[in-house]
């Protein structure tokens, strides 16, 4: 191994040593010294705590203050048109709280009140319509859990191991339970007879913000599972997630999930907007670019241990945990390798995978304290197997930014620290 | 519903709770004026374009005023802002330069995006003629037209972009899915696995302590001090007046100023862009830069003799539109008091 390394992440290292120190206190207690946390009456066990009115809307306790979205400043010219990253290294289960779910804005997050909200449906429809927010809540509504992944997630890793933290390599993803109206119900309300043969028709969707972020969606998808959503995880969408109404396009790249949705136009061709030509297209090795690469292929990553979540407890029993997802449907299996892909064992799924939603996996295992090269490999219900970085590069070259769903490797060192690496 | 529905779509509709014809009578009919106001997208064949025209010469002027602060006078891009010109024959490189000239397949996309979403911070303010002129200038800056070129709704459809044939429709189902499926290898999948690259070598990961108030560490303090020292040395040689300012705060303010630099320039060689020059702004009258077209509210404040001091600047930067109702500054405001203090220190470090 290379000795002339910089420390992978000072925070990860400090957090690691701090936790090891705490662990050794507990260890001392086990060795015979009574633990004062148990033998002495603590303040919280004697005095009273906070009253019910203290926080009308609660935030995480202050000890969790570092579980926050983070930005990579050098990625973009301005935070107004930028992206930040979900702290997936510190989360478990599958649902992402809205307050730490990654944000991507093209002209900043806007404040749009429900009473100022209007949704127009026009174009090749029988009757162009305008809905208010209240109108939307009068349609039959549904609940679905879906992941939303930016097409650029893991994009910085195309050229090689770059960012030392799963938050940064894989944090352009979140997973929420949405409440909303199927788009097909709204299209039906406007009437599609005027559109004629629907098999070659499109809907063009745009937002109310300055970027408008317009995207074309083929009618077949629009009539399938697209939702016009107004709640996430049981509460109103947060401003940064498109309050009061956003589009949910299950399994497809996040850029199509238009926030502050204001207009749906039925068209006879794709608009070929800026976001579907100059951006979110994939340049191949010969310079040709793939367009309309909407589906996010199956992908997985180990969230713990990882560079921001090192092993702090030393050798012995441990849980390797991560997330898997597929835009084609359900995750059926996740395999984990500790030796960089030479041998694999099948992990346990937290629960049966939902279609187009995050699935949590666990490998309950023993660590002998030696180096590990940790990898996860997802399979979905179509039989697709997540490719290695080498396999992806063989097909697409290295000119791409988007749709990188390669297998990720973490190097776990004997002291428990982890680093983002690439392996042969 | 249409009798021409293909089978899969028909099946979807029948399976859904909202059956064809089963309308709820919700919403109201959109009025023609409303549709005209919002339906402004332009299709690749030119449908949706309003009548109008603009030439390269006019475009250069409009571009300099509305676009150049981010994209550069020659569309070459400033800092991290998009480069609009050049990059031809780079698409098969590892770092392709994807500009309007080298990459964008449709002219309609350029017109539509400029007209609807630009300039950044003042979208939907360009007229149709201005948009034609800007698009003509962008083509000129890419050497795709001559300097006497005029673009209009009449000749729009005749223009074919350089990379018009450069795109294929998603073919992953054929090229990738077939080879990446089936029962995967579980044992002896390769001879060895050696580390070939490490993220720490590049060292581009953000320092995550910075935004975490709960754990200030000796490490980050040392680093801040080092940055401050360097900054102090640089400023010392330039200006004596800076000595009174906390160099660490000035350095912090320089970072925060990135949010402002979209529209404002400061220091030697600064020019008015979409916002006025900020050199010497602290202690200056409101609306006090010659040659900058201020909004009415700024002109009124200038007449009242108001002067930028710590208090007024802090109030303005926290909530610009609330403090000076009618300002055309599109910036929404700084959320943290620490950022406001830092930027005021930074502004003071340029006393003009």
């Amino acid at each position: 191994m290379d000795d002339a390394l910089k420390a992978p992440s000072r925070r990860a290292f400090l957090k690691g040593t701090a936790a090891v120190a705490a662990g050794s206190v507990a260890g001392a207690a086990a060795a015979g010294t009574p633990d004062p946390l148990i033998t002495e009456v603590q303040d919280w066990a004697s005095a009273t705590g906070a009253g019910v009115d203290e926080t009308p809307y609660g935030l995480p306790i202050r000890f969790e203050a570092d579980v926050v979205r983070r930005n990579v400043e050098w990625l973009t010219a301005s935070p107004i048109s930028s992206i930040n990253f979900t702290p997936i290294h510190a989360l478990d289960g599958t649902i992402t709280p809205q307050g730490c779910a990654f944000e991507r804005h093209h002209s900043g997050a806007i404040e749009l009140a429900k009473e100022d909200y209007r949704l127009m449906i026009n174009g090749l429809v029988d009757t162009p319509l305008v809905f208010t927010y209240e109108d939307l809540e009068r349609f039959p509504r549904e609940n679905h859990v879906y992941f939303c992944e930016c097409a650029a997630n893991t994009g910085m890793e195309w050229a090689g191991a770059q960012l030392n933290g799963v938050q940064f390599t894989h944090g352009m993803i979140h997973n929420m339970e949405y409440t909303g109206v199927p788009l097909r119900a709204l299209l039906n309300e406007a009437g599609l007879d005027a559109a004629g043969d629907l098999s070659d028709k499109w809907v063009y969707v745009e937002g109310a913000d300055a970027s408008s972020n317009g995207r074309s969606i083929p009618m077949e998808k629009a009539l399938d599972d697209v939702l016009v959503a107004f709640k996430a995880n049981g509460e109103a969408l947060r401003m940064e997630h498109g309050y009061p109404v956003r589009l949910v396009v299950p399994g497809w790249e996040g850029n199509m999930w238009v926030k502050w949705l204001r207009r749906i136009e039925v068209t006879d061709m794709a608009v070929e907007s800026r976001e579907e030509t100059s951006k979110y297209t994939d340049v191949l090795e010969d310079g040709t670019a793939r367009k309309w690469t909407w589906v996010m292929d199956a992908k997985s990553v180990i969230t713990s241990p990882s560079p921001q979540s090192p092993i702090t407890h030393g050798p012995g029993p441990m849980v390797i945990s991560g997330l898997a997802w597929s835009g084609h449907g359900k995750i059926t299996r996740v395999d984990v390798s500790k030796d960089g892909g030479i041998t694999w064992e099948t992990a346990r799924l937290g629960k049966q995978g939902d279609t187009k939603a995050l699935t949590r996996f666990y490998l309950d295992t023993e660590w002998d304290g030696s180096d590990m090269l940790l990898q996860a490999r997802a399979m979905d219900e179509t039989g697709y197997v997540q490719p290695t970085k080498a396999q992806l590069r063989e097909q697409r070259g290295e000119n791409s930014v988007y749709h990188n769903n390669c297998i990720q490797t973490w190097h776990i060192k004997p002291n428990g620290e982890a680093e983002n690496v690439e392996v042969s | 519903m249409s009798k021409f529905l293909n089978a899969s779509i028909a099946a979807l509709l029948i399976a859904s709770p909202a059956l064809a014809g089963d309308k709820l009578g919700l919403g109201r009919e959109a009025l023609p004026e409303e549709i005209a106001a919002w339906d402004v997208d332009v299709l690749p064949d030119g449908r949706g374009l309003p009548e109008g025209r603009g030439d390269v010469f006019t475009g250069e002027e409009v571009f300099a005023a509305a676009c150049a602060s981010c994209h550069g006078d020659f569309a070459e891009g400033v800092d991290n802002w998009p480069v609009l010109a050049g990059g031809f024959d780079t698409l098969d490189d590892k770092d392709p330069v994807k500009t309007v000239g080298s990459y964008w397949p449709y002219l309609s996309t350029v017109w539509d995006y400029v007209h609807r979403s630009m300039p950044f911070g003042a979208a939907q303010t360009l007229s149709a003629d201005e948009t034609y002129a800007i698009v003509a200038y962008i083509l000129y800056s890419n050497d795709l037209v001559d300097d006497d070129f005029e673009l209009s709704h009449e000749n729009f459809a005749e223009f074919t972009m350089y990379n018009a044939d450069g795109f294929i429709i998603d073919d992953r189902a054929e090229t990738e899915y077939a080879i990446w499926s089936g029962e995967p290898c579980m044992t002896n999948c390769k001879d060895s696995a050696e580390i070939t690259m490490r993220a720490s070598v590049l060292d581009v990961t953000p320092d995550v302590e910075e935004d975490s108030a709960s754990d200030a560490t000796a490490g980050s303090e040392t680093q801040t001090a080092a940055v401050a020292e360097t900054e102090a040395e640089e400023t010392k040689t330039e200006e004596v007046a800076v000595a009174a300012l906390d160099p660490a705060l000035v350095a912090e303010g320089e970072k925060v100023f990135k949010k402002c630099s979209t529209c404002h320039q400061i220091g030697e060689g600064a020019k008015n862009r979409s916002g006025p020059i900020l050199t010497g702004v602290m202690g200056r009258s409101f609306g006090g830069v010659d040659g900058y077209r201020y909004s009415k509210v700024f002109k009124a404040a200038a007449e009242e003799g108001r002067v930028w001091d710590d208090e007024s600047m802090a109030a303005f930067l926290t909530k610009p539109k609330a403090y000076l109702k009618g300002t055309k500054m599109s910036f929404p405001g700084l959320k943290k008091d620490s950022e406001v203090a830092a930027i005021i220190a930074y502004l003071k470090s340029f006393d003009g």
Side-chain angles (χ1 to χ4, degrees), chain A residues 170-328:
Chain A
H170 290 76
M172 296 180 189
I173 191 161
H174 58 59
N175 191 62
M176 302 188 197
E177 185 200 48
Y178 295 97
T179 302
V181 177
L183 176 54
R184 78 176 92 82
L186 302 183
L187 290 169
N188 182 55
E189 192 71 14
L192 288 174
D193 286 347
D197 179 1
L198 294 181
S199 64
D200 62 353
K201 296 303 181 296
W202 298 73
V203 296
Y204 179 70
V205 289
E206 67 181 26
D209 63 316
S211 79
S212 84
N213 193 65
R215 289 293 307 251
S216 307
I217 299 173
M219 183 62 82
E220 187 175 358
K221 179 72 173 177
L223 295 177
D224 182 8
D225 55 4
V226 177
L227 274 186
V228 175
F230 36 80
K231 295 276 163 72
N233 300 342
E235 63 178 356
L237 290 162
R238 297 283 170 88
M239 174 178 82
E240 65 269 32
H241 298 303
Y243 181 95
V245 177
R246 88 171 304 168
L247 203 66
V248 169
V249 190
W252 289 21
E253 61 189 14
N255 181 255
M256 307 178 86
W257 297 44
V258 172
K259 298 188 284 193
W260 314 290
L261 180 71
R262 82 163 191 187
R263 195 170 71 92
I264 298 161
E265 179 183 0
V266 177
T267 62
D268 59 7
M269 65 194 297
V271 169
E272 304 283 6
S273 71
R274 186 236 192 197
E275 308 298 335
E276 54 203 20
T277 54
S278 79
K279 305 288 174 186
Y280 305 102
T281 47
D282 308 299
V283 183
L284 302 174
E285 191 147 34
D286 65 356
T288 312
R290 277 184 188 146
K291 66 173 183 178
W292 302 354
T293 43
W294 303 304
V295 183
M296 301 306 292
D297 291 331
K299 185 167 171 179
S300 66
V301 70
I302 291 168
T303 52
S304 178
S306 65
Q308 295 161 287
S309 178
I311 303 173
T312 55
H313 52 59
M318 72 170 295
V319 177
I320 295 171
S321 177
L323 293 166
W325 60 94
S326 169
H328 290 283

